[in-house]
Amino acid sequence: MRKGKRFLDKKGKEGKIKRSLLSRVDLLNRFKHWYMGGISVFRSLFRVHAAKQTIAIILFILSVAFIMAAFYTNSGEFVVKVDRKMARDGFYLSEIPNFDERLITLRADALVDATNVSIYNIDEDVMDVDGEHHSADVFAYTFYVKNLTGETKDYRYTLFIRNKTQGVEEAAWIMLFHNGRQEIFAKANKEGHPECQYSEFEFPFQEYALHPEAQQSMISNRNPGYITQEVIDYHDFDSLDGIYQLKTVPFASEKTVCTGLRPDFEHDGMDKFTVVIWLEGEDPECVDAIIGGEIELAMSFTY
């Protein structure tokens, strides 16, 4: 009986040991299960967080790309803009007078591989064609500004040089039409005088000149104006009597071509602009050194 009891006690102890071992194994299995579950949840959360971060980064990149695309301009492109306040108030731009599209930015393609020409080569109807209408060697762009603010407003416009290379701006002449009246701008010559051109015949577009007498006048032997002996020899003028002088308006600064004030622009009013750019062959700075050069202009509208 004692042996049996010992046997039973031994078996009991062995049973307890086995149950203890099984219990520990079970705890380990549970811990492993919880651990693996935790890792799985963590990884899931991490993947969700990473996915959100990735989406946010992609959206940010797309936003930056969109903004850059909105403000990026191609080489030589002519850009017209109204500022944010004017746009919020109700000033708009369009290439056509019916304003099917009310825009705050306009772009005209660059004129590529232009060579020098004369003002006599510019089409007579240059201000009568809407939008971009370049000829072989003359940049021409017509657009409109409209006031839909509900009020009479004043505004300012600035025509300026965004970029220039190889001194091409020295020979670039710019004719700006505003509501049918034009001025011709060119960089002052090396002596600081306005660039001029001379001819035995009247110059074109004179009937549209904002300041007719200042733009075109007749010189004489007694009043030779700004003509130089080099120009006299070039044209082979025997006499200066009866010779016409076309005088440009010098650029306002190194980068600004001109500025202007438009007062009392009424609600629903519309202004028309035409910008014409060419390399004037009669300009003394129109030389081989500027071949391959570029000039980029833009026009801005502000209060």
Side-chain angles (χ1 to χ4, degrees):
M1 295 293 293
R2 289 180 181 174
K3 289 183 180 179
K5 187 176 182 181
R6 284 197 295 272
F7 175 77
L8 288 173
D9 289 343
K10 187 177 180 180
K11 290 280 288 183
K13 289 179 181 178
E14 288 177 350
K16 288 179 182 179
I17 291 169
K18 287 181 180 179
R19 283 195 296 272
S20 177
L21 289 173
L22 288 172
S23 191
R24 290 179 184 178
V25 170
D26 186 54
L27 286 173
L28 287 172
N29 285 334
R30 289 183 182 180
F31 177 77
K32 183 178 180 181
H33 176 73
W34 294 335
Y35 175 77
M36 295 303 295
I39 291 295
S40 178
V41 171
F42 177 77
R43 286 177 177 174
S44 298
L45 292 173
F46 180 78
R47 281 196 295 269
V48 170
H49 182 67
K52 289 182 178 179
Q53 280 190 327
T54 302
I55 292 170
I57 291 170
I58 291 171
L59 290 174
F60 175 76
I61 291 171
L62 290 174
S63 299
V64 171
F66 176 79
I67 293 170
M68 289 180 67
F71 288 94
Y72 176 77
T73 57
N74 293 320
S75 178
E77 191 176 51
F78 181 76
V79 182
V80 186
K81 289 184 179 181
V82 295
D83 73 4
R84 291 182 180 180
K85 189 175 189 317
M86 291 182 73
R88 286 195 300 267
D89 289 347
F91 273 88
Y92 299 103
L93 303 169
S94 177
E95 292 184 348
I96 51 178
N98 62 12
F99 276 77
D100 283 347
E101 288 187 301
R102 298 174 181 178
L103 305 172
I104 61 172
T105 302
L106 298 174
R107 289 180 171 85
D109 290 337
L111 178 63
V112 182
D113 295 331
T115 189
N116 61 288
V117 292
S118 167
I119 189 172
Y120 289 99
N121 299 122
I122 299 173
D123 295 335
E124 293 180 4
D125 64 347
V126 69
M127 74 169 178
D128 299 325
V129 183
D130 292 336
E132 179 186 307
H133 51 286
H134 311 334
S135 62
D137 298 300
V138 178
F139 174 99
Y141 187 60
T142 298
F143 64 93
Y144 300 84
V145 182
K146 198 171 185 69
N147 176 8
L148 295 176
T149 65
E151 303 176 47
T152 297
K153 297 275 191 179
D154 300 346
Y155 72 77
R156 293 185 175 275
Y157 60 85
T158 302
L159 181 62
F160 60 96
I161 299 171
R162 296 179 61 248
N163 186 41
K164 56 189 179 181
T165 62
Q166 296 183 215
V168 72
E169 76 282 359
E170 301 285 348
W173 286 32
I174 300 150
M175 182 160 52
L176 177 63
F177 289 87
H178 181 197
N179 292 336
R181 292 296 175 187
Q182 58 84 3
E183 291 184 274
I184 302 173
F185 301 90
K187 191 172 181 180
N189 64 22
K190 294 177 180 179
E191 287 73 37
H193 299 309
E195 286 286 7
C196 297
Q197 190 176 156
Y198 302 90
S199 175
E200 295 175 340
F201 307 98
E202 285 196 60
F203 288 94
F205 306 108
Q206 181 62 18
E207 66 268 33
Y208 307 115
L210 182 62
H211 305 291
E213 294 181 359
Q215 182 169 295
Q216 178 180 275
S217 59
M218 295 191 76
I219 61 174
S220 65
N221 293 323
R222 301 183 72 179
N223 298 293
Y226 294 110
I227 197 167
T228 63
Q229 188 61 48
E230 183 180 1
V231 174
I232 294 172
D233 294 339
Y234 173 79
H235 287 285
D236 198 22
F237 290 144
D238 294 328
S239 171
L240 298 182
D241 293 336
I243 299 299
Y244 290 95
Q245 174 182 265
L246 174 67
K247 185 170 70 172
T248 65
V249 179
F251 289 173
S253 70
E254 191 67 23
K255 289 191 174 182
T256 302
V257 175
C258 67
T259 60
L261 172 66
R262 170 58 157 102
D264 304 324
F265 190 32
E266 296 181 352
H267 169 71
D268 207 34
M270 182 175 68
D271 280 0
K272 179 180 180 180
F273 289 86
T274 299
V275 179
V276 185
I277 309 168
W278 73 101
L279 300 179
E280 178 52 62
E282 297 295 329
D283 192 308
E285 276 72 52
C286 190
V287 293
D288 289 348
I290 69 171
I291 293 175
E294 295 181 355
I295 185 168
E296 299 176 16
L297 279 82
M299 197 165 181
S300 64
F301 291 84
T302 59
Y303 284 135

